Amino acid sequence: MSGAELVEGPRDYEATLKAARARAESALREAGISFSVEEGKGFVDLVVDVDSIVKAAEALKNAGFTHVVSVTAVDYPKKKSIKVAYHVTSYLDPEIVGGIVGLAVYLPREAPEMPSLSGVWVSAEFMEREVYEFFGVTFKGHPDLRPLLLIPELAEKRPLRKDFVVREESIYEGVPERVRRG
Amino acid sequence: MEEGKVYVGNLDVAAKRARDILLGKLKLEKVVDWANAFSLWPVHLTTSCCSTEFAATFGPRFDGEQFGALPWVGPRQTNLIVIEGTVTRKMACAVRVTWEQMPHPKYAIAMGACALDGGLFYNSYNVVRPWEVIPIDIYIPGCPPRPESVARAIVELQRKIRGRRVASSWIREGWRPDRDYVAPKEDYCAWQKTSPLLERV
Ligand code: SF4
């Protein structure tokens, strides 16, 4: 922790994000991990390889990112891949409080498997269980990998993958495909 | 009652004869229904976001207690389930278990669009309709319904109990004559039995 004091009240999000991003990038570079950056309005994802993700997580934790806000996944059926992203930040480090950086990894869609990061960040444990039940991503080394919210029969269907079809909205029911697309 | 008459023997038979005399000869049905209508105890079973309005109903501003109902803790001391919104797959198991634990005569109110037919989540994979789980007496539309309409539903339920003699006939017959018994089509607690996914990896 650096010497600066924790400021109360609203913060400049862009500036915090920039500081957090610089901190995370330098930490990964110091650890000798190659990464690529995906960014958009208000978010930064540092994409690393599956093999180096545990090392990257440890480097980020040592750099002050002590807390996982969320673990989530995105399904890309056309690219045949699933992106798993850990959003990390800090409660206490005054420079980066509230700046959320994503640590992401791309996995093959058929058999998505990656090492669990719950050994590094304990707060990732339940969120990894959710990613497991909704997307079917297996986390190796997870202490308790069972469905969290869904019943097992539903979890087997992987309901948040894009090829899981739910009943359509009623305003579209019976409307021809041509009209629906406009 | 005849003087000096003592019931000896089987407790069940004695209880049945006492019940027949009280409800039949002494015409206590009205009293039973009246007492039952004004001692509705909804169980604390919060299934979803409608529960905030349910809590407001019994808060100081809307004061649902004045109608003769007060939320109570355990299912074995309560006789009313207010299903507060969406019922998910896992919650359906809890709803059914709670319903089975309650002593009769017991009633159920379904609150909110979600409890009517799924509401916002009508096409979700994880939502069940509460009327498939337990028999519902009153439905309240709205998302969420106002506390006034919850109070109204309680008043309607009281009217139903007293008008149709629900409580007394339920006690006399041992089952509820004016509606069918809802048995769930599937076992909602089946997921608790072993499944390969539930075992630790
Ligand atoms: S009806 Fe509306 S408020 Fe009630 S549970 Fe459903 S979504 Fe929530």
Side-chain angles (χ1 to χ4, degrees), chain B residues 41-63:
Chain B
W41 304 88
V43 63
H44 280 303
L45 181 80
T46 296
T47 57
S48 200
C49 33
C50 272
S51 59
T52 50
E53 296 294 309
F54 182 75
T57 312
F58 294 96
R61 180 163 171 199
F62 295 98
D63 192 19

Side-chain angles (χ1 to χ4, degrees), chain A residues 154, chain B residues 86-89 114 117-118 121-122 124-129:
Chain A
L154 270 176
Chain B
T86 335
V87 180
T88 58
R89 284 255 152 186
C114 292
D117 203 17
F121 314 106
Y122 81 100
S124 168
Y125 45 84
N126 203 20
V127 166
V128 298
R129 311 286 187 261

Side-chain angles (χ1 to χ4, degrees), chain B residues 31-195:
Chain B
V31 182
V32 169
D33 286 327
W34 169 82
N36 207 264
F38 292 107
S39 54
L40 294 171
W41 304 88
V43 63
H44 280 303
L45 181 80
T46 296
T47 57
S48 200
C49 33
C50 272
S51 59
T52 50
E53 296 294 309
F54 182 75
T57 312
F58 294 96
R61 180 163 171 199
F62 295 98
D63 192 19
E65 201 182 341
Q66 63 184 306
F67 302 110
L70 186 67
W72 200 246
V73 278
R76 288 181 199 277
Q77 292 106 36
T78 52
N79 61 356
L80 170 64
I81 287 190
V82 180
I83 292 181
E84 296 152 24
T86 335
V87 180
T88 58
R89 284 255 152 186
K90 276 190 176 176
M91 205 61 198
C93 171
V95 170
R96 186 70 207 183
V97 169
T98 311
W99 176 257
E100 299 286 357
Q101 283 186 5
M102 285 174 6
H104 68 255
K106 53 192 172 185
Y107 314 97
I109 293 176
M111 176 179 179
C114 292
L116 264 68
D117 203 17
L120 275 181
F121 314 106
Y122 81 100
N123 62 355
S124 168
Y125 45 84
N126 203 20
V127 166
V128 298
R129 311 286 187 261
W131 38 263
E132 289 174 352
V133 186
I134 58 173
I136 305 282
D137 284 299
I138 309 273
Y139 291 91
I140 320 172
C143 178
R146 294 278 306 154
E148 292 94 322
S149 46
V150 181
R152 170 77 194 272
I154 286 168
V155 173
E156 283 295 324
L157 181 60
Q158 289 167 345
R159 204 181 278 169
K160 193 170 170 179
I161 294 170
R162 296 180 75 182
R164 299 198 195 166
R165 301 275 173 86
V166 179
S168 57
S169 53
W170 198 334
I171 289 172
R172 199 177 50 232
E173 314 276 339
W175 55 286
R176 189 164 168 181
D178 68 329
R179 67 174 307 148
D180 294 338
Y181 186 78
V182 170
K185 285 195 205 82
E186 54 180 303
D187 181 6
Y188 290 106
C189 300
W191 61 271
Q192 291 173 343
K193 290 156 200 157
T194 25
S195 147

Side-chain angles (χ1 to χ4, degrees), chain A residues 6-37:
Chain A
L6 214 57
V7 194
E8 283 189 7
R11 298 162 60 88
D12 180 2
Y13 182 68
E14 293 297 327
T16 329
L17 184 63
K18 234 167 137 188
R21 178 185 171 173
R23 176 89 71 93
E25 283 183 354
S26 70
L28 288 191
R29 251 183 240 118
E30 264 170 38
I33 297 158
S34 62
F35 62 92
S36 58
V37 179

Side-chain angles (χ1 to χ4, degrees), chain A residues 1-171:
Chain A
M1 236 177 103
S2 54
E5 281 295 302
L6 214 57
V7 194
E8 283 189 7
R11 298 162 60 88
D12 180 2
Y13 182 68
E14 293 297 327
T16 329
L17 184 63
K18 234 167 137 188
R21 178 185 171 173
R23 176 89 71 93
E25 283 183 354
S26 70
L28 288 191
R29 251 183 240 118
E30 264 170 38
I33 297 158
S34 62
F35 62 92
S36 58
V37 179
E38 283 178 15
E39 59 179 320
K41 192 170 181 299
F43 80 92
V44 177
D45 275 353
L46 310 177
V47 184
V48 298
D49 272 354
V50 193
D51 307 327
S52 55
I53 188 151
V54 178
K55 254 171 71 189
E58 273 160 7
L60 284 187
K61 190 176 182 186
N62 292 337
F65 294 91
T66 49
H67 171 66
V68 176
V69 190
S70 76
V71 180
T72 185
V74 190
D75 183 17
Y76 297 104
K78 280 190 188 147
K79 284 199 254 170
K80 291 206 188 328
S81 65
I82 286 180
K83 175 186 177 185
V84 180
Y86 289 72
H87 298 117
V88 292
T89 181
S90 167
Y91 275 144
L92 296 175
D93 200 324
E95 258 178 54
I96 54 172
V97 167
I100 298 173
V101 176
L103 176 67
V105 61
Y106 280 95
L107 305 169
R109 196 162 180 274
E110 270 66 51
E113 197 176 66
M114 64 175 289
S116 166
L117 297 191
S118 56
V120 184
W121 291 298
V122 180
S123 57
E125 184 186 330
F126 272 42
M127 300 182 240
E128 280 179 350
R129 276 173 73 178
E130 276 192 58
V131 172
Y132 167 66
E133 68 185 347
F134 283 114
F135 291 91
V137 180
T138 314
F139 294 90
K140 275 182 290 181
H142 190 282
D144 183 17
L145 198 59
R146 289 176 298 146
L148 176 66
L149 301 174
L150 298 182
I151 58 172
E153 292 94 82
L154 270 176
E156 270 162 23
K157 294 184 195 158
R158 312 304 184 207
L160 285 197
R161 286 203 187 186
K162 295 236 166 81
D163 51 8
F164 181 89
V165 185
V166 292
R167 220 177 89 208
E168 289 237 311
E169 297 282 335
S170 57
I171 50 167

